């Protein structure tokens, strides 16, 4: 029963984060991620991907880099979605140097 609740909680958090992504409400998405860390629900790559996508839409390139760093700090596996969102956030603000570095890092075999 606990596993079912945990799965339902995770799905709910991902759905809310995705809805916030559509609104480019990165502050709310970040608050949701912080709230998850205080609950039983563990944040996943999908949660971080939604936050990076919010950052991209809101043109918050520095925050997208911090989110990518945090994802790796928590030993979660980043994905192509994670890196492409961060690259696009950098590109939206003409931070091409950072975007190129991310593209290089994203070529490592650990990125699916």
């Amino acid at each position: 029963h606990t596993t079912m609740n945990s799965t339902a909680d995770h799905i709910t958090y991902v759905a809310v984060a995705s809805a916030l992504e559509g609104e480019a409400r990165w502050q709310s998405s970040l608050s949701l991620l912080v709230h998850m860390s205080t609950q039983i629900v563990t944040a996943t790559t999908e949660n971080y991907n939604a936050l990076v996508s919010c950052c991209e839409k809101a043109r918050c390139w520095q925050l997208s880099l911090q989110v990518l760093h945090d994802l790796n700090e928590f030993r979660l596996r980043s994905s192509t979605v994670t890196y492409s969102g961060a690259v696009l956030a950098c590109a939206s603000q003409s931070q091409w140097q950072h975007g190129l570095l991310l593209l290089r890092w994203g070529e490592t075999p650990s990125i699916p």
Side-chain angles (χ1 to χ4, degrees):
H1 185 59
T2 303
T3 304
M4 191 167 149
N5 284 343
S6 178
T7 302
D9 288 344
H10 171 70
I11 291 169
T12 301
Y13 277 106
V14 170
V16 170
S18 294
L20 293 170
E21 171 191 343
E23 297 291 320
R25 295 182 55 192
W26 65 268
Q27 297 99 332
S28 299
S29 188
L30 180 59
S31 294
L32 180 66
L33 200 59
V34 169
H35 177 73
M36 285 180 70
S37 69
T38 65
Q39 303 300 310
I40 296 172
V41 180
T42 303
T44 64
T45 300
E46 290 83 11
N47 300 114
Y48 282 90
N49 286 348
L51 180 53
V52 168
S53 292
C54 281
C55 293
E56 172 203 339
K57 288 177 177 61
R59 299 177 180 216
C60 296
W61 69 273
Q62 292 169 317
L63 182 58
S64 72
L65 296 180
Q66 182 62 50
V67 171
L68 186 58
H69 172 76
D70 290 350
L71 180 125
N72 292 322
E73 240 349 81
F74 290 120
R75 307 268 189 249
L76 293 172
R77 187 179 171 128
S78 51
S79 70
T80 304
V81 172
T82 318
Y83 275 91
S84 64
V87 167
L88 290 171
C90 290
S92 73
Q93 295 298 297
S94 300
Q95 297 297 319
W96 57 270
Q97 303 93 335
H98 295 289
L100 287 174
L101 283 174
L102 288 174
L103 285 174
R104 251 189 230 127
W105 289 335
E107 291 175 354
T108 60
S110 65
I111 308 301

